[in-house]
Amino acid sequence: MGPLVTQGIIDPAWNNLIALLVGMAFGFILESSGFSSSRKLAGVFYGYDFVVLKVFFTAAITAALGLLLMSSIGMIDLSKIFINPTFLGPGIVGGIIMGFGFIMGGYCPGTSFCGAAIGKIDAIIFTLGMFVGILIFSELFPLYSDFFTSGAMGNILVTDVLGIPAGLFVLLLTIVAVGAFYVTGIIEKRVNNPKS
Amino acid sequence: MSETKEHRKPKEYINPYLGGVLLGLVLLTTIYITGRGLGASGAVKSAVVATVDVVATEHAHNSPYMGQFLSDDEGPMNNWLVFEVLGVIVGAFISGTFAGRLKLTVEHQPKITSKTRLIFAGLGGLLFGIGTQFGRGCTSGTALSGMATLSLAGFIAMLSIFGTAFLLAYFFRKLWI
């Protein structure tokens, strides 16, 4: 029963090799899907290319459905997996700052590594910018150390907040995603082939 | 009769839904094996901590933020995410090689200069870096992996990152269209 490393079924000594292999698959898929191009990524904000929405939503739903399925047949113990802790204020502020970074830089961290790997100089500059940004955050940390740990809600699930079962939530999310794929498909066509 | 050899056109990208399912399966496999999802920005944090540790060891250990990520028995680069990101770079390079997309270039839309693109790429990276620390992870580690495990943090990250970028899209349109 998974998670294999956490449960001691796979020795943690394999961790770094697993990380490398998982990363290779991750990078290969991102690059093959076009995530090494900032112009393709930014298309989601202007309606000319919704590849980000399609890949991102499909991936999240595939994994969420997979986890529910594996849990229901006893393949994985969901109480043993990592749940990102919620810090409400810092989470929202961080997301807003990342939103600025995304629209200005055209990349996010993972995709900038893919762009850099195939020779995009702008992606290399983006990663250097991240390095500087994290350094600045760390140097100025005392200014907002209280804020940083504020709004702690623990390892809470979205379904705890909404009070609905996980299966129902994932079903609703899938319906929203399919609706979004349909609508954005129409938008994409109109933006790219405007009729005079 | 002069026949110019046509440049080999790069291969097309794969279908986005296929890409999404494959990415979801990689994420699922990762959680099944390690109990955690994918990530990206954490590796840059490790690189920052490792660099400061080398050039200003005392400063790094005394830093209230960086100090948390330094221990006596392990270097900051001996970290799951650092190996994962090395893999990402190798994987993307392999994909780019097979698809004929390896090219040293500054990618930008024709109406702006390379210089403008590079300035905004640098600024964007800087802000993204700061944001990842407040948000405790980026689009991969918090938004995507967090959504897959149905964590509230994942949905907050996704909505605030993409929501902000959508609201700002009009003001930065000259960079992209």
Side-chain angles (χ1 to χ4, degrees), chain A residues 114-127:
Chain A
C114 295
I118 65 157
K120 299 276 167 72
I121 298 165
D122 42 323
I124 297 171
I125 299 294
F126 184 95
T127 58

Side-chain angles (χ1 to χ4, degrees), chain A residues 16 33-34 75-76 79 91 103 105 109-110 125 129 193 195:
Chain A
N16 289 346
S33 304
M75 263 182 84
I76 191 166
S79 70
I103 199 72
I125 299 294
N193 310 300
K195 283 180 193 140

Side-chain angles (χ1 to χ4, degrees), chain B residues 125-139:
Chain B
L126 188 144
L127 288 170
F128 220 118
I130 294 173
T132 56
Q133 301 310 295
F134 277 110
R136 292 171 169 81
C138 63
T139 345

